Amino acid sequence: MERRVGVLARHLSSHSPSMASGNPSEMISPFPTAGSFGESVFAHVVQAPEDPILGVTVAYNKDPSPVKVNLGVGAYRTEEGKPLVLNVVRRAEQLLVNDRSRVKEYLPITGLADFNKLSAKLIFGSDSPALQENRVTTVQCLSGTGSLRVGAEFLAKHYHQHTIYIPLPTWGNHPKVFTIAGLSVKTYRYYDPATRGLNFQGLLEDLRSAPLGAIVLLHACAHNPTGVDPTLEQWEQIRQLMRSKALLPFFDSAYQGFASGSLDADAQSVRMFAADGGELLAAQSYAKNMGLYGERVGALSIVCKSANVAAKVESQLKLVIRPMYSNPPIHGASIVATILKDSGMYQEWTIELKAMADRIINMRHQLFDALRARGTPGDWSHILKQIGMFTFTGLNTEQVAFMTKEYHIYMTSDGRISMAGLSSRTVPHLADAIHAAVTRIK
Amino acid sequence: MASRAVIARRIFGRGGLGVAGARAMSTGWWGGVEPAAKDPILGVTEAFLADPSPNKVNVGVGAYRDDDGKPVVLECVREAERRISGNLTMEYLPMGGSIRMIEETLKLAYGENSELIKDKRIAAVQALSGTGACRLFADFQKRFLPDSQIYIPVPTWSNHHNIWRDAHVPQRTFHYYHPESKGLDFAGLMDDVKNAPNGSFFLLHACAHNPTGVDPSEEQWREISYQFKVKNHFAFFDMAYQGFASGDPERDAKAIRIFLEDGHLIGCAQSYAKNMGLYGQRVGCLSVLCEDEMQAVAVKSQLQQIARPMYSNPPVHGALIVSIILNDPDLKNLWLREVKGMADRIIGMRTALRENLESLGSSLSWEHITNQIGMFCYSGLTAEQVDRLTNEFHIYMTRNGRISMAGVTTGNVSYLANAIHEVTKSS
């Protein structure tokens, strides 16, 4: 604090009349110890708070305990607790490296064309009328985050309604992405703490009272952080309601294939909307389902009423992208395209993907059984009902803090655990921790 | 079956959707979206690719080509990729990017043994090449100094204007290129520096100015730096061509080093697109020199906050390539040789183009071709002359007369010289 005041005082005193006099020797007052002549124009910048999700891993890394478990960030881990590069991805990368004819030139602003086509097919289905009618524009973006941001910027510029409804709760970065793009963020009820399931009535009521044309963010599957998804019947009701109010769907699909193990099943919600002839946005990520996290591979698709409109929309998307990063990174998209266009590699991928999803489902069963065996009070069936990488345990912040302190379990303070971070070895320890937290802390 | 309008009224009542909504019912929500203008630079390559002529020459976009006109992947890069593939994981980088890559990158700009690096005074994050680095800075500038503007040289890379505009930072220009001499308008530049309000932000090209290839001399940089001190201006350097300009990265960083010696707290965007040939990998770095370590920590944390809702964390592959190369002395030396090779070829082509034009008997002066430096030559050709080059000779360049020397080869230099001579000999 004192330092800040000192900097401010120097800043104020340097704006003295002598500054305007034009006499150089009066103006330059070197700061003897720093070797620089003045203070920074950014001296007033305060340190930003740690990102709550990524901060969990930071804390975990600092902990010396041998029994520590990281259930924070949503990155897949094997039974041995190791990160995983899929075999099919390794093979694809080898192919690319060994192909001396490959170059590293700039991609077009919209990214790798093959990748875009194949990604659209992956999410909409190759028989989708929207695709066959060329009504879809797909642009490569930086994973899910980048796809959401580009879509949001486009909407802020070209869509008449600047309000987006996001589910309560949602991924912590969602409100930041939309706000910074210039949209105004509202919420709709989603998670019901009482049932640890979907508050379907609340959802319908809130969407019903949204203004006509408002944008609605929908998690395509494996809702983050709750793992609670609508049933297909519920999705159909949501679709009808949204179309009747011209609400614009913006899907975030970060877990296709990862949730149920089936790429098609996990895309049903999106396909339902695409099939009714209406318009929508869809952000896709390959971070989890292809394990390409750090490569930042994703795609934004906008389904339009006509091919003509889709082409114009694409040209405007370029104007959003160019001043942000010019064109997207080539490596990850090349890996994806290599895999998706080769039927053998595609098959291999679906098998590895299902294995990851199955392991997570297995962890759910193990944890549920372990809690039941300990007689832990409460209904823990939501662990089995929820889907995808995360379980919203229902634990409160005090209980979470207790588990971190006493059992070295690292998770986000909202009670979300990444099932992918569990193994058969660590499930008992987690069950002990939950049992202790629930019985000792209310 | 009721008409759409009738359906709309039934659903929404007499109030309806309003004009926008009603239009949306018939043409979807995006019927009113205008087609965007094509990017002037990237549009050139699109046109080139579409041209079937066997004589076509692409001296448009700034990507290096070898003497056969082919894109190049550096050997040091191939080796780095061999080491990466199949071995390392693809986990998320931190929001600020690869620490190892950043460390080596800062040494390139600030000096191998820079005290500033040792004292941890530099806030630095990995960025999406030069564009991404400029955009992070522009957003940061807007957030923390909302009343500030940016002075941009005339001319500059066209995307600079887009970047600061999308960041909502108002732009001013300063004199830079002198059309008559095809060199630097130093007097105009210094006047603009003096007349700008104290504490203005200036965008400076550290070396190999894009699109003109015109750089201040060392003496001129010293004068600019001095005047910046007098005026308390902020210098933001865009360094996209370190090593590529003279062939020597240390030499190409001279302007930055002068400003650092003079005590300026600079900002700097660095890119590996050209000098490591990593174009499509999108690898770069944004750095902001602060007063002390604590300030650097604060600034870095805020830069990360800007990256998070844009792309969460930067791509890992290109960063791995850079850090493998720069951390391995043999690979680093190989890289330095390869960069020099690229720069030397371009310098050779400048000489060849000029000599060709002179021996064709052109009455115009072409010394600017060898005076200018880096990838681009600001030829002085008018838009009409450029159009003739394209339409009659299938030579593609941006209409401001900018020639990408990297696209010139021993195979096409005399064809190019002939064509330029043809369209200019009457002027």
Side-chain angles (χ1 to χ4, degrees), chain B residues 211-229:
Chain B
T212 68
V214 169
D215 286 349
S217 66
E218 191 175 319
E219 299 72 46
Q220 288 172 328
W221 274 122
R222 290 194 189 283
E223 285 196 50
I224 296 168
S225 171
Y226 181 80
Q227 195 58 38
F228 266 53
K229 279 203 294 187

Side-chain angles (χ1 to χ4, degrees), chain A residues 75-227:
Chain A
Y76 183 80
R77 292 285 177 270
T78 63
E79 255 292 308
E80 296 72 38
K82 300 257 178 304
L84 177 67
V85 176
L86 301 187
N87 282 327
V88 72
V89 166
R90 274 187 212 282
R91 275 214 294 134
E93 214 181 24
Q94 281 293 343
L95 285 173
L96 294 171
V97 161
N98 293 336
D99 182 358
R100 274 197 75 98
S101 72
R102 283 188 58 80
V103 295
K104 298 199 170 302
E105 298 286 282
Y106 292 123
L107 285 176
I109 300 175
T110 50
L112 190 60
D114 279 354
F115 167 84
N116 290 336
K117 281 201 189 60
L118 292 161
S119 295
K121 276 202 196 144
L122 184 66
I123 187 146
F124 296 112
S126 44
D127 53 359
S128 160
L131 283 180
Q132 285 162 359
E133 292 158 20
N134 284 319
R135 293 193 283 114
V136 184
T137 169
T138 304
V139 296
Q140 180 191 340
C141 293
L142 279 106
S143 209
T145 308
S147 305
L148 291 165
R149 177 65 178 271
V150 170
E153 295 268 346
F154 170 78
L155 292 174
K157 274 202 181 94
H158 297 284
Y159 187 58
H160 68 100
Q161 246 285 6
H162 287 177
T163 305
I164 182 163
Y165 281 74
I166 64 178
L168 198 61
T170 193
W171 180 46
N173 205 21
H174 275 144
K176 295 180 193 170
V177 171
F178 298 126
T179 304
I180 202 115
L183 298 176
S184 125
V185 174
K186 291 203 161 40
T187 58
Y188 61 92
R189 280 169 286 170
Y190 191 83
Y191 179 70
D192 184 352
T195 60
R196 294 180 183 147
L198 183 64
N199 180 354
F200 190 51
Q201 282 316 308
L203 183 158
L204 291 177
E205 277 169 31
D206 288 347
L207 292 189
R208 218 171 263 133
S209 58
L212 296 179
I215 310 158
V216 179
L217 176 74
L218 303 163
H219 294 226
C221 69
H223 180 271
N224 176 2
T226 68

Side-chain angles (χ1 to χ4, degrees), chain A residues 46 90 105 279 294 316, chain B residues 29 34 65 86 90 292 302:
Chain A
V46 295
R90 274 187 212 282
E105 298 286 282
E279 300 181 312
Q316 291 292 346
Chain B
W29 290 117
E34 293 300 316
R65 295 284 176 271
M90 291 161 169
D292 54 36
Q302 294 292 353

Side-chain angles (χ1 to χ4, degrees), chain B residues 12 15 23 30 53 55 61 148 229 245 255 283 330 333 351 360 372 374 412-413 421:
Chain B
F12 303 111
R23 184 179 46 180
W30 319 119
S53 162
N55 299 323
V61 80
S148 64
K229 279 203 294 187
V283 205
D330 291 335
N333 282 329
T351 307
L360 283 167
Q372 293 165 5
N412 64 26
V413 65
H421 181 57

Side-chain angles (χ1 to χ4, degrees), chain A residues 18-19 21-30, chain B residues 226 229-230:
Chain A
S18 65
M19 276 293 271
S21 72
N23 185 340
S25 64
E26 278 177 23
M27 288 186 207
I28 304 165
S29 42
Chain B
Y226 181 80
K229 279 203 294 187
V230 166

